[in-house]
Amino acid sequence: MITRYRGDTQRLKITLSSNNRLIDLSTVSKVEIGIEKPTTILVILCEKDPDNLSGNVYAPFTETDLDTVGTYPFDVQVTWLDSTKTTFLIDKFKILDDINKT
């Protein structure tokens, strides 16, 4: 489970691996994180690390992406250059209240 505060915009670093090996991002067309919010599914296009061998991608957030307190399932889906898709991570976001959010 990933815990964040409501309205936080710090990007999330995600390391993709399979069979204990980092994914070579040069064979990846795009990576998306999908978050099941109360009334919609938010899909965010991730940014690939410049080092293709790192396996790291980053999910950028706006203030409204994680604006509702609660616990929400999410997954990370990779689309390969040949258009096939693989889901690598299924987990939950726990969004906590932020007292000083204006």
Side-chain angles (χ1 to χ4, degrees):
M1 183 174 302
I2 296 171
T3 302
R4 289 282 177 104
Y5 285 93
R6 180 174 59 107
D8 283 0
T9 58
Q10 178 184 12
R11 67 185 186 161
L12 175 66
K13 177 182 174 183
I14 302 164
T15 303
L16 301 174
S17 64
S18 179
N19 298 321
N20 294 320
R21 300 181 83 182
L22 297 174
I23 298 300
D24 180 353
L25 299 176
S26 66
T27 62
V28 171
S29 172
K30 69 179 176 180
V31 179
E32 297 170 309
I33 184 170
I35 303 168
E36 188 176 350
K37 294 177 75 173
T39 59
T40 187
I41 295 178
L42 173 67
V43 178
I44 298 171
L45 182 63
C46 296
E47 303 161 355
K48 294 193 301 183
D49 193 288
D51 177 2
N52 280 327
L53 300 179
S54 72
N56 293 325
V57 297
Y58 303 92
F61 294 103
T62 66
E63 284 188 38
T64 58
D65 289 340
L66 304 175
D67 60 349
T68 306
V69 174
T71 302
Y72 308 104
F74 77 92
D75 67 18
V76 177
Q77 187 176 74
V78 170
T79 302
W80 304 97
L81 292 176
D82 67 1
S83 298
T84 59
K85 296 181 181 191
T86 304
T87 300
F88 276 93
L89 178 66
I90 299 173
D91 206 340
K92 292 186 179 186
F93 268 105
K94 182 174 185 176
I95 309 302
L96 303 174
D97 200 7
D98 183 354
I99 294 169
N100 65 12
K101 181 168 174 27
T102 56

